[in-house]
Amino acid sequence: MPSARIGVIGGSGLYHMEGLHNVEEVSVDTPFGPPSDKIIVGSLEGENVAFLPRHGRGHRFSPSEVPSRANIYALKSLGVEHIISVSACGSMREEIAPLDVVIPDQIFDRTKGIRPSTFFG
């Protein structure tokens, strides 16, 4: 089974990762069920990277249905130590336009009451 230290989780509209070479699709079983999709492992600038589309290819899962525990467990089982997660989010500020890249410091998660929020208990 291939391994990677870096994992990328793609958000809405990001179902594949450009620039990966020597790509291999990996199915991973987890105690939390299957992840959102097969994990794509490939080489990017000499570093192995594991890519997983959060909502599955074709956007099969709504935000509250995403199997986040299975996704994280599956990436960890491939040796991932660092995760970059790309997502779409809204803003209440007019100066932040669509397609701007921001790093939010306050997030309201409206899906947290619907799905498990921890691996424990």
Side-chain angles (χ1 to χ4, degrees), residues 91-112:
S91 171
M92 301 298 286
R93 297 173 53 187
E94 287 185 32
E95 64 270 18
I96 299 175
L99 300 180
D100 282 354
V101 175
V102 298
I103 299 174
D105 62 359
Q106 297 180 33
I107 298 172
F108 294 98
D109 181 0
R110 301 287 186 212
T111 68
K112 70 180 182 179

Side-chain angles (χ1 to χ4, degrees), residues 29-47:
D29 293 323
T30 82
F32 304 100
S36 298
D37 210 317
K38 291 182 179 177
I39 299 174
I40 310 300
V41 179
S43 176
L44 180 68
E45 301 292 326
E47 183 75 38

Side-chain angles (χ1 to χ4, degrees), residues 4 28 39 70-81 83 119:
V28 180
I39 299 174
N71 289 351
I72 300 303
Y73 190 99
L75 290 171
K76 181 68 174 171
S77 71
L78 294 177
V80 169
E81 298 174 9
I83 295 175
F119 286 91

Side-chain angles (χ1 to χ4, degrees), residues 43-83:
S43 176
L44 180 68
E45 301 292 326
E47 183 75 38
N48 278 356
V49 175
F51 175 79
L52 176 63
R54 174 184 292 115
H55 298 281
R57 285 176 268 195
H59 204 96
R60 295 185 329 246
F61 297 100
S62 72
S64 59
E65 296 171 326
V66 170
S68 52
R69 295 185 302 173
N71 289 351
I72 300 303
Y73 190 99
L75 290 171
K76 181 68 174 171
S77 71
L78 294 177
V80 169
E81 298 174 9
H82 307 281
I83 295 175

